[in-house]
Amino acid sequence: MRHFKTQGFWTKAKWCAIGVAGVAVFTLLAFRFQLSFGVASFGYLFLLVLQSLSGEFVSSALVSVLSVACLDYLFVAPLFSFQVNSPLDILALLSFLATGLVITRLVTKVRAGTELSRLHHEKLQRLYELAQQLLALEPDVSSGREFLKPFCGVFGIRAVCLFDATNAEVYIAGNARDDLEKKTGEAFIRGADRDDEERGISVRCIRIGGRTTGAIGFEGLEDSQMTAGPLAALAAAQLERSHSFAHASRAAAAVQTESYRTVILDALAHEFKTPLSTILAAAGALRETGALGPHQREMADTVESEAARLGRLTSRLIRTARLEREEVKPWMEIIDVSSVLADTLDQYAKQTAGRRIAVVKACDSSAVMADPELLRLAVSQLLDNAFKYSTPESTVTLSIGREEECIAVRVVSTGNPIPSGEKSKIFDRFYRGADGRRAAAGGSGLGLFVARKIAVALGGSLDLDSTSGTAEGTAFRLALPVAESERAHVVATV
């Protein structure tokens, strides 16, 4: 804390020195060339605007006061005194001072709002990453230090302490002080959250079903007021998941953990709602102030678009988890596959992460009877799988074609072909192949399972396509029956 205060002091001192130097240089030049009051005023105002872009209110206010003093002393009669005879000159000086301070305040607020939005967005991304890592943990290692390591790794926390009241056990990860374990236990006994800013310790009680089942303490967590609550919610869901697995056999526990995966996502989604709405509202308000420059408008647009994208990713993750444990109930209607997938393909074309996407349409009409939202979700799972395991800088091809009584959607990628021994298992729930477990990007093993479940619910099928794949790649074929009206049109034409 003392380090940040010292760093802030020297930053302010640096900008103050720069501002004073700028005023001094301009004053010497203006006095040397005997500039008029009007020209000198615009020059000082330009210096003040440049200084305001630093976002340091103290230095900008200092430059504003110095500029007014120099104008009064050197450019307003009587010269070389701080006396002003003309009321108009007094009004001009006061207006200049007020304008400078208002500009400084507006720029400072815009900078602060932009920085706050950036921090919110960064923390939401870390929460999303942490949720993925917790979901990827095997149930039999989802307690103890292994359970706490992702908290330290993703958020850079010095130490995490978990008190599990059900088993009366304490788990610690990282380099903790003696006070962390003690304060975590005290918070559970009192049933109240607590923060020790001096020691950098934040403790949150873990509550499940209205009962306090433990407590989790963080040492060295930045912005604990905003982050500690969501982390405790994730810890509560994961802790309850481990308890469920411990009290049942391996086969029974596999069924129970499915519901707790959704609990984690629901808890995460609940914590996302307010911060995401705040980010979007703040970014919109910043753009509407009219005081933003091109660079600030670009930053506000970036914050808004990335927050919206994170919201879409969260909604999709939640729906995927719910579909894998529920019966799919599609809302069927006649749709054109090419038109329905156009928006999805545009999104992947903008966010391919080093891969390219090629679209091939080999038929004039691709009308089917299907649920458009479920179709988009199934194809998105296939595209995610292709981008995750294909060779960097390669091309992922999506083709749409007519095959007798069905429309076939193929997704073909190169690199990391599926071993023959795993081809019969890739559509199983929670199955992840050897390449998937070694990949840097985590996954839950639900993508292909959910995609096939959707295909069957729509009256079609999803399989590996050996005819389109190569020895160096993989191809999936999603087939949907042609709409009855399209069949009748073909028969009438013949």
Side-chain angles (χ1 to χ4, degrees):
M1 185 68 69
R2 186 175 301 172
H3 169 72
F4 287 117
K5 290 182 178 179
T6 304
Q7 187 178 17
F9 170 78
W10 286 112
T11 300
K12 288 182 174 60
K14 180 189 71 173
W15 283 110
C16 287
I18 293 175
V20 171
V23 171
V25 171
F26 178 77
T27 301
L28 290 175
L29 294 176
F31 188 75
R32 172 69 178 79
F33 293 102
Q34 297 182 353
L35 299 181
S36 65
F37 173 77
V39 175
S41 298
F42 280 111
Y44 283 117
L45 184 60
F46 180 72
L47 282 177
L48 179 57
V49 171
L50 290 179
Q51 185 70 22
S52 300
L53 294 178
S54 68
E56 290 291 340
F57 182 77
V58 175
S59 64
S60 300
L62 176 62
V63 170
S64 179
V65 173
L66 287 178
S67 299
V68 171
C70 291
L71 277 173
D72 183 10
Y73 192 77
L74 298 175
F75 299 97
V76 177
L79 301 180
F80 308 113
S81 74
F82 291 105
Q83 296 180 358
V84 181
N85 294 331
S86 174
L88 291 178
D89 289 340
I90 295 176
L91 180 61
L93 290 172
L94 292 176
S95 299
F96 179 84
L97 179 61
T99 301
L101 293 177
V102 167
I103 291 175
T104 301
R105 185 59 180 170
L106 286 175
V107 172
T108 302
K109 290 180 66 177
V110 168
R111 287 284 183 119
T114 302
E115 180 64 17
L116 180 61
S117 297
R118 186 189 67 80
L119 292 176
H120 273 290
H121 181 250
E122 180 181 342
K123 291 218 169 17
L124 286 174
Q125 284 185 317
R126 290 184 179 182
L127 283 171
Y128 188 84
E129 181 182 350
L130 176 60
Q132 285 186 316
Q133 292 192 19
L134 291 178
L135 286 173
L137 287 175
E138 294 295 334
D140 54 349
V141 296
S142 59
S143 61
R145 294 188 61 188
E146 294 299 322
F147 163 38
L148 297 177
K149 282 181 180 179
F151 287 84
C152 296
V154 175
F155 279 85
I157 304 173
R158 186 185 305 118
V160 182
C161 177
L162 174 68
F163 175 67
D164 183 359
T166 302
N167 300 327
E169 294 182 352
V170 177
Y171 306 102
I172 298 179
N175 300 318
R177 301 172 181 171
D178 295 337
D179 290 343
L180 179 60
E181 182 177 346
K182 178 181 177 182
K183 291 183 180 297
T184 302
E186 290 176 351
F188 169 76
I189 294 173
R190 297 178 181 179
D193 302 339
R194 62 180 303 176
D195 293 288
D196 187 341
E197 296 183 358
E198 183 178 352
R199 296 180 178 272
I201 295 176
S202 300
V203 184
R204 296 292 181 269
C205 291
I206 296 177
R207 298 179 177 89
I208 299 176
R211 298 183 303 108
T212 302
T213 60
I216 185 168
F218 307 98
E219 183 177 328
L221 176 63
E222 296 181 4
D223 199 0
S224 60
Q225 294 296 327
M226 184 182 72
T227 312
L231 292 180
L234 290 176
Q238 192 72 2
L239 190 61
E240 185 67 10
R241 177 186 171 213
S242 66
H243 289 163
S244 173
F245 188 85
H247 290 90
S249 64
R250 185 173 297 273
V255 176
Q256 293 179 10
T257 51
E258 297 174 18
S259 62
Y260 290 114
R261 288 177 183 267
T262 304
V263 171
I264 292 176
L265 294 175
D266 287 341
L268 181 62
H270 176 74
E271 296 296 340
F272 274 6
K273 288 180 181 179
T274 300
L276 280 174
S277 300
T278 302
I279 291 173
L280 290 171
L286 287 174
R287 287 192 287 100
E288 292 174 1
T289 59
L292 297 178
H295 182 61
Q296 286 81 17
R297 284 197 300 271
E298 182 179 356
M299 288 192 295
D301 291 338
T302 300
V303 170
E304 191 171 16
S305 62
E306 289 300 306
R309 184 167 74 91
L310 188 59
R312 291 194 299 270
L313 287 173
T314 303
S315 299
R316 180 176 157 198
L317 184 61
I318 293 170
R319 189 169 189 190
T320 298
R322 289 176 177 172
L323 280 176
E324 63 85 19
R325 66 183 180 92
E326 299 174 357
E327 288 301 321
V328 180
K329 300 177 181 178
W331 294 85
M332 306 294 279
E333 59 181 286
I334 297 177
I335 61 173
D336 182 82
V337 174
S338 301
S339 301
V340 169
L341 297 181
D343 293 340
T344 301
L345 294 172
D346 287 341
Q347 294 176 10
Y348 278 93
K350 296 174 183 177
Q351 305 166 7
T352 54
R355 276 82 168 173
R356 298 177 294 275
I357 184 169
V359 181
V360 178
K361 184 179 179 183
C363 58
D364 295 330
S365 174
S366 56
V368 298
M369 181 70 72
D371 182 323
E373 290 300 322
L374 290 178
L375 177 60
R376 291 190 188 99
L377 180 58
V379 174
S380 295
Q381 301 287 6
L382 297 179
L383 290 174
D384 279 347
N385 195 73
F387 286 143
K388 186 182 297 183
Y389 299 115
S390 60
T391 305
E393 305 300 329
S394 63
T395 299
V396 174
T397 302
L398 184 143
S399 63
I400 303 173
R402 174 73 177 267
E403 296 179 2
E404 299 180 355
E405 297 289 323
C406 69
I407 298 296
V409 179
R410 285 182 170 83
V411 177
V412 183
S413 60
T414 58
N416 297 319
I418 300 174
S420 57
E422 298 181 0
K423 291 183 179 180
S424 60
K425 304 176 183 177
I426 59 173
F427 293 102
D428 293 345
R429 180 186 306 171
F430 302 139
Y431 181 78
R432 300 181 66 215
D435 290 339
R437 293 190 293 269
R438 289 193 298 265
S444 62
L446 291 175
L448 293 178
F449 171 80
V450 170
R452 173 173 272 188
K453 194 171 184 179
I454 291 174
V456 173
L458 297 179
S461 62
L462 174 62
D463 298 286
L464 277 171
D465 188 4
S466 58
T467 60
S468 299
T470 63
E472 296 79 24
T474 305
F476 289 93
R477 175 180 175 271
L478 171 63
L480 299 174
V482 174
E484 292 292 337
S485 59
E486 185 69 11
R487 297 181 187 179
H489 174 71
V490 173
V491 172
T493 303
V494 175

